[in-house]
Amino acid sequence: MTTSTRILLGVNIDHVATLRQARGTRYPDPVKAALDAEEAGADGITVHLREDRRHIQERDVLVLSEVLQTRMNFEMGVTEEMMAFAERIRPAHICLVPETRQELTTEGGLDVAGQEARIKAAVERLSKTGAEVSLFIDADERQIEASRRVGAPAIELHTGRYADAETSTEVAEELKRIADGVAFGLAQGLIVNAGHGLHYHNVEAVAAIKGINELNIGHALVAHALFVGFKSAVSEMKALILAAAAKA
Ligand SMILES: CC(=O)[C@@H](O)[C@H](O)COP(=O)(O)O
Ligand SMILES: NCC(=O)COP(=O)(O)O
């Protein structure tokens, strides 16, 4: 069981690439953002190579795999194309995520319980690359138990519902759901990460949940970086989550 006392920040650079792809230019370069993020204290760099290539491209991942000083968390759908690519680049971490072509963003967690044999085969195959494989799931006991059964050492709890909650009651309910999921995941012997939709005003309560290993944050960092620069955006976020975890 991992009971880290120090929470890690994984910086997702997808939306630096979103801006580049909007115009088909060479800038802004997500690789530069990744290096700046590392200098500012990122513990890892997350990229999601989507099937529709709306942001991160293969070349970004290949260059990152050569230049990162920390570690790459490669998010991917469970497809043959992505599995073969992951076997080629051999990232330190692989996170299996659900993907729908038309979605605005990742809408829910991976249904591990509903397709255990398929996910187990993917986890087994990808683990042979040496990667720590995690599953991006909702904070739901059924999915957490299934994640353990398929042999994933780690899970990432989808915090999108918490981020989207509007009333204080909903926020409290969603936060409790995440906190319960973290405790349940740890009790199952899993490494528990969390992320999606976290920003400077909602992150502290999640960072204060004991036992979370890492938060993966992207969209809010890229948005804030427009005004303060990428390094400052990352270091502000890192300071916030470390302070919240230390107070808890
Ligand atoms: C899996 C996850 O939560 C993120 O990687 C997210 O998918 C990135 O942003 P988009 O969903 O906008 O591509
Ligand atoms: N896995 C979640 C992630 O990497 C970042 O999501 P977001 O902060 O861009 O919503």
Side-chain angles (χ1 to χ4, degrees):
M1 185 192 302
T2 297
T3 47
S4 54
T5 50
R6 185 174 173 276
I7 192 160
L8 304 175
L9 172 62
V11 171
N12 182 319
I13 54 171
D14 291 349
H15 297 298
V16 177
T18 302
L19 190 53
R20 178 191 61 192
Q21 297 308 114
R23 282 288 183 92
T25 47
R26 292 185 172 204
Y27 62 87
D29 186 354
V31 175
K32 160 96 170 103
L35 298 180
D36 280 1
E38 287 186 326
E39 274 187 37
D43 298 291
I45 300 297
T46 295
V47 284
H48 182 178
L49 182 64
R50 277 186 174 272
E51 187 200 359
D52 64 11
R53 307 297 194 271
R54 66 177 71 164
H55 39 56
I56 292 295
Q57 308 293 307
E58 277 90 336
R59 181 183 172 279
D60 299 322
V61 185
L62 290 168
V63 176
L64 286 166
S65 70
E66 296 201 347
V67 301
L68 287 186
Q69 310 265 5
T70 57
R71 56 200 165 74
M72 185 193 298
N73 175 33
F74 181 64
E75 295 183 333
M76 53 174 265
V78 189
T79 65
E80 177 52 39
E81 180 199 20
M82 285 302 150
M83 301 237 247
F85 187 67
E87 285 172 329
R88 186 174 153 209
I89 55 161
R90 302 173 79 88
H93 301 260
I94 293 174
C95 185
L96 299 181
V97 304
E99 222 177 272
T100 310
R101 179 67 72 93
Q102 289 81 14
E103 68 190 352
L104 188 58
T105 184
T106 310
E107 281 167 356
L110 191 65
D111 180 15
V112 182
Q115 43 178 346
E116 281 197 30
R118 178 167 172 254
I119 304 298
K120 187 170 193 286
V123 170
E124 278 172 9
R125 179 170 163 188
L126 293 167
S127 296
K128 286 189 189 134
T129 67
E132 177 189 280
V133 180
S134 78
L135 304 175
F136 189 63
I137 57 171
D138 290 324
D140 168 338
E141 290 192 2
R142 205 171 131 256
Q143 298 295 345
I144 296 170
E145 277 176 333
S147 299
R148 178 190 47 76
R149 279 197 300 273
V150 301
I155 53 176
E156 178 172 331
L157 299 179
H158 192 319
T159 51
R161 276 168 62 176
Y162 161 72
D164 291 341
E166 286 181 2
T167 66
S168 53
T169 309
E170 280 169 10
V171 170
E173 279 171 9
E174 293 303 329
L175 193 60
K176 182 173 182 321
R177 195 191 306 278
I178 297 165
D180 289 348
V182 172
F184 191 75
L186 292 173
Q188 297 282 313
L190 298 166
I191 296 166
V192 184
N193 304 318
H196 198 92
L198 297 177
H199 55 66
Y200 296 84
H201 301 289
N202 68 9
V203 75
E204 287 167 287
V206 178
I209 297 172
K210 283 207 185 338
I212 293 189
N213 174 61
E214 176 170 277
L215 296 180
N216 281 305
I217 307 180
H219 186 266
L221 287 173
V222 175
H224 193 46
L226 289 175
F227 304 104
V228 302
F230 211 72
K231 285 186 190 171
S232 297
V234 171
S235 57
E236 277 180 42
M237 182 61 82
K238 175 121 183 185
L240 261 185
I241 68 171
L242 287 180
K247 261 192 266 163

